[in-house]
Amino acid sequence: MAWKFKYEKAEQEKLYAQTHQKTVEVAIVMGILFTITGLLIVGIGYQVGKIYRKYCWDILSIIVAITSTAIVIYFGEWIKNAIPINLMVFLLLSHVIYIYFHANIYYHISMKGESI
């Protein structure tokens, strides 16, 4: 009987060592993936910020941001009932759509040589 328990303990230690090794490998891979994802988010955010400053850094954009935020806050329950979407996502999507149209209008006006 003593030999059986000794053998099981050796097997358990071997399995523990293998599991520990796999856990370390998974942790390293996950850390690398999180780092790459974070760098992508920062890089994309920086590029979006440059575009935002170039085309949409004016009082109209500030008014639209404040107004759309107020509308989402005030009508939040109605929006949730009508559209099953997170309100922050809805706010961001609405602002992205505004930025798209604002940047296109700014671009077309600047191509004609007119000032805004």
Side-chain angles (χ1 to χ4, degrees), residues 4-5 17 39 44 47 62 67 73-74 85 91:
K4 181 180 177 187
F5 291 121
L39 291 174
I44 291 169
Q47 295 300 325
I62 294 170
T67 305
I73 290 170
Y74 188 76
I85 191 169
L91 180 63

Side-chain angles (χ1 to χ4, degrees), residues 11-78:
E11 267 308 302
Q12 288 174 351
E13 288 176 359
K14 183 180 175 185
L15 286 173
Y16 174 76
Q18 290 174 346
T19 305
H20 181 69
Q21 179 66 27
K22 292 291 182 186
T23 304
V24 169
E25 290 172 0
V26 168
I28 291 171
V29 169
M30 292 298 290
I32 291 170
L33 290 175
F34 283 136
T35 303
I36 291 171
T37 304
L39 291 174
L40 281 172
I41 289 171
V42 168
I44 291 169
Y46 179 73
Q47 295 300 325
V48 169
K50 281 182 13 182
I51 292 169
Y52 188 82
R53 274 178 280 173
K54 183 176 181 181
Y55 294 113
C56 300
W57 200 257
D58 57 357
I59 192 69
L60 179 63
S61 296
I62 294 170
I63 291 171
V64 168
I66 292 171
T67 305
S68 59
T69 303
I71 288 171
V72 166
I73 290 170
Y74 188 76
F75 296 109
E77 290 299 321
W78 291 350

Side-chain angles (χ1 to χ4, degrees), residues 73-105:
I73 290 170
Y74 188 76
F75 296 109
E77 290 299 321
W78 291 350
I79 293 171
K80 277 188 193 178
N81 291 335
I83 306 170
I85 191 169
N86 189 334
L87 291 178
M88 286 301 296
V89 172
F90 180 74
L91 180 63
L92 288 173
L93 286 175
S94 66
H95 202 65
V96 165
I97 291 168
Y98 161 74
I99 290 170
Y100 173 77
F101 285 116
H102 187 78
N104 279 335
I105 291 169

Side-chain angles (χ1 to χ4, degrees), residues 1-8:
M1 283 293 208
W3 176 78
K4 181 180 177 187
F5 291 121
K6 200 175 220 184
Y7 179 74
E8 286 179 359

